[in-house]
Amino acid sequence: MSQKVLLNSKEVNIALHRLACQLIENHDDFSDTVLIGIQPRGRFLADRLAQILSKDYKIKNVQLGLLDITFFRDDFRRGQKPLEANTTIIDFIVEDKNVVFIDDVLYTGRSIRSALTAIQSFGRPKNVELLTLIDRRFSRHLPIQPNYRGRQVDAIDNQRVKVNWVENEGEDAVYLIDK
């Protein structure tokens, strides 16, 4: 199994700041915008972006939630092992808000479809956007595209994109791994 570095720590940091700036351009003071990290892997990206917006760009009142999509997936009964649900934490109203879903890698689009279904339990957003650190082109099963992307990657089916976060794996890096 071989791996190639797609983004090192410095490049991840640059991408995060660029994504934060794009969000500010489109959402100004975030008074009508909420960020929602898709559990489990979108949590780290969402947390980091919320910190950058608050600390580096002085955006006040960035609302951040976490959404578990485990039982909204169309494939949740297909695995051999029992699924473990993550926590959903949304302590604000999404009704008539601009919702920005945040996930680390966009692959088939099925997670995002599940998130669209799951968010309806919390109200009807005015608008929904998608932010991903990595956009795997040519692998979509559904017609879903990100509004914001850190990097676009062309990967074939026998390759996997792995995003490491310092909070979880001890480093910020993105790898392309041959299975």
Side-chain angles (χ1 to χ4, degrees):
M1 182 163 46
S2 68
Q3 68 181 23
K4 173 186 172 189
V5 177
L6 295 176
L7 296 173
N8 62 31
S9 179
K10 182 179 179 181
E11 293 165 328
V12 168
N13 190 48
I14 290 168
L16 292 176
H17 280 270
R18 192 180 77 244
L19 290 167
C21 287
Q22 290 173 353
L23 286 171
I24 292 168
E25 287 175 13
N26 290 333
H27 297 281
D28 193 30
D29 65 356
F30 286 73
S31 58
D32 283 335
T33 301
V34 298
L35 305 178
I36 298 184
I38 298 175
Q39 290 274 41
R41 303 289 306 172
R43 169 188 202 141
F44 303 107
L45 177 57
D47 285 342
R48 191 74 69 82
L49 282 170
Q51 286 176 12
I52 290 170
L53 289 167
S54 298
K55 292 179 182 168
D56 296 351
Y57 297 105
K58 309 300 183 216
I59 303 294
K60 295 181 180 5
N61 304 320
V62 174
Q63 293 183 304
L64 173 63
L66 301 173
L67 182 64
D68 178 51
I69 59 166
T70 303
F71 299 110
F72 292 92
R73 293 186 58 93
D74 58 3
D75 60 354
F76 84 92
R77 289 188 183 101
R78 294 180 184 204
Q80 297 297 324
K81 61 181 183 176
L83 292 177
E84 292 182 29
N86 294 287
T87 306
T88 292
I89 303 170
I90 299 178
D91 57 359
F92 46 80
I93 304 294
V94 300
E95 189 78 28
D96 291 325
K97 295 280 189 181
N98 296 308
V99 170
V100 180
F101 283 139
I102 299 173
D103 207 0
D104 61 346
V105 178
L106 175 59
Y107 183 31
T108 63
R110 292 187 183 283
S111 293
I112 305 309
R113 189 218 43 89
S114 302
L116 288 166
T117 302
I119 199 65
Q120 296 299 314
S121 301
F122 296 91
R124 184 176 178 190
K126 178 171 39 175
N127 184 40
V128 177
E129 295 179 329
L130 174 60
L131 181 149
T132 61
L133 182 62
I134 302 295
D135 175 13
R136 282 188 64 160
R137 295 190 319 163
F138 311 127
S139 56
R140 243 34 116 240
H141 294 178
L142 300 168
I144 292 173
Q145 298 299 323
N147 301 88
Y148 313 93
R149 69 173 59 88
R151 172 138 183 219
Q152 205 167 43
V153 175
D154 297 333
I156 55 178
D157 286 338
N158 66 343
Q159 294 175 316
R160 187 170 69 93
V161 174
K162 181 160 183 354
V163 178
N164 287 352
W165 296 105
V166 73
E167 297 88 347
N168 197 37
E169 289 89 9
E171 69 169 345
D172 287 339
V174 180
Y175 298 99
L176 182 63
I177 300 171
D178 289 320
K179 296 179 186 178

